Amino acid sequence: MAIDNFPAQLQPIIQEGYLAREFSAGLQSRIAFRAIADREIFPNRIGESITKTRKGLKAPVTVPMNPSQNTNFDNGLTPSTWSVEQYTLTINQYGDTIDLNVVSEGVGISNQFLANANTNGIQALQSLDRIARNTLFSGPAGGVGGYMGGNTRVTTSISASSTQVSVDDVRGFERVLNATGQVVSVAQSSGMTVTIGSNAYTLISVTYDSVNTSTTPLGASGVLTFSTAVSVSDGTEGNPVVASTAPLVLRPNNRLTTAQLVAPEGNYGSNNYITGDTLGIQTVLAAVAALRMNNVPTIDGAYHCYLDDQQMLGLFRDGDFKYLYRGAYGSETYRSGSVVELLGVRFIPTTEAPLQASLGSGIIHRAIVCGQGALIEGDYNGSVDIPDSERALVDNVDGIMMITREPLDRLKQIIAQSWYWIGGFALPTDATVNPSIIPTSTNSYLKRGVVIESL
């Protein structure tokens, strides 16, 4: 396309493709959550949602047919069908821009032009990665929650048996899948089984607090209402509150809630020394075992574990890990200071892992171990069809549109460098995979990831 309307200093950069390369180079930041997503083309417009249906399987037949009933046209068989479940994918537009004043930049206009493209690229991918991360942990709007949902704790002790209990985070409790696989509010269903303390109760409604006091990242505090009264012993502050359909959340030393995590190297009595609840290889292997029991497929032969560098440090301090690598201190794992692949897990350090302020024992870190299909990315198929105009350069870099507009101001001095992405993320459920289909599977709606909390 014609580039005559751009300053002469920039025309060689545009012709040689340096601009797109700088934008693409900026997309190589230390972030990784978007990589877990399976990409799909979204045919609808911005702001619209599409509901997709996933079919389940049929339970195996282990009882032989009765020969005396093998008659008539149906041969004694009763037709059965597979169950279905649905998930909703919504797309929105995200973007930002930066201006380049060709006069004030002077002789450095070329360098500034490329620097802006690189900065836009970093911002774009970091934005998409954070949206993917938030969806993975918190869940999309209107869904059944994310991989941190349905697992919280009582925040205020009840003084007498009550049907209402205040909790730190109501995500994962608001919606259920009905008999036809549709996502509905818990109030429109027969209820959700929730374990509080030591006993199970039936949840019938969820109310958000007018002022959010949740300590959990992206959490929402509120009140859970049950069909029967919760006992005082179960409704005591700090007790775990776990939905029967909640994804698995693991903590070192089998801690039941986030608030129970114990700080490293704490002395508790003369004969009781606690090393602390930092990440260890056994907790990671427990997550892998859970994924395998649900028959979650791997990603290129291994599960992905996204974690921050502090959790990686805890892994290197773990006794089992050091025993595994005893005599191998010259290995690439120790030389580079990062685990590439170990015991069927590919460890991917990221600076985007969610952190939580201390609840008394230190900052809380969260890793997630994922298999294939844990996240779906929907890209608007109309993005690539937007025509170039004579006044702008339009480049598509990995689904992100980079727009460079010529100076349109009165003095013809300000170039606009922008980016936008039209798409969204969704968490497909696997509720139809139950113990009748896979005997080792769980009842969780979301089975393709396991969150690990540690200090």
Side-chain angles (χ1 to χ4, degrees), residues 8 48 77 148 171 274 294 306 386 396 447:
E48 293 184 356
L77 296 174
M148 283 173 53
R171 292 175 304 171
I274 299 178
N294 283 309
Y306 299 100
I386 296 176
N396 185 339
K447 296 180 171 68

Side-chain angles (χ1 to χ4, degrees), residues 239-288:
N239 277 354
V241 181
V242 183
S244 61
T245 56
L248 180 61
V249 176
L250 294 177
R251 305 175 185 89
N253 300 310
N254 296 319
R255 307 297 180 192
L256 297 178
T257 68
T258 309
Q260 291 181 5
L261 293 173
V262 175
E265 300 183 1
N267 285 299
Y268 295 85
S270 58
N271 297 319
N272 188 12
Y273 183 76
I274 299 178
T275 56
D277 295 329
T278 56
L279 182 64
I281 193 65
Q282 292 300 327
T283 309
V284 177
L285 292 179
V288 172

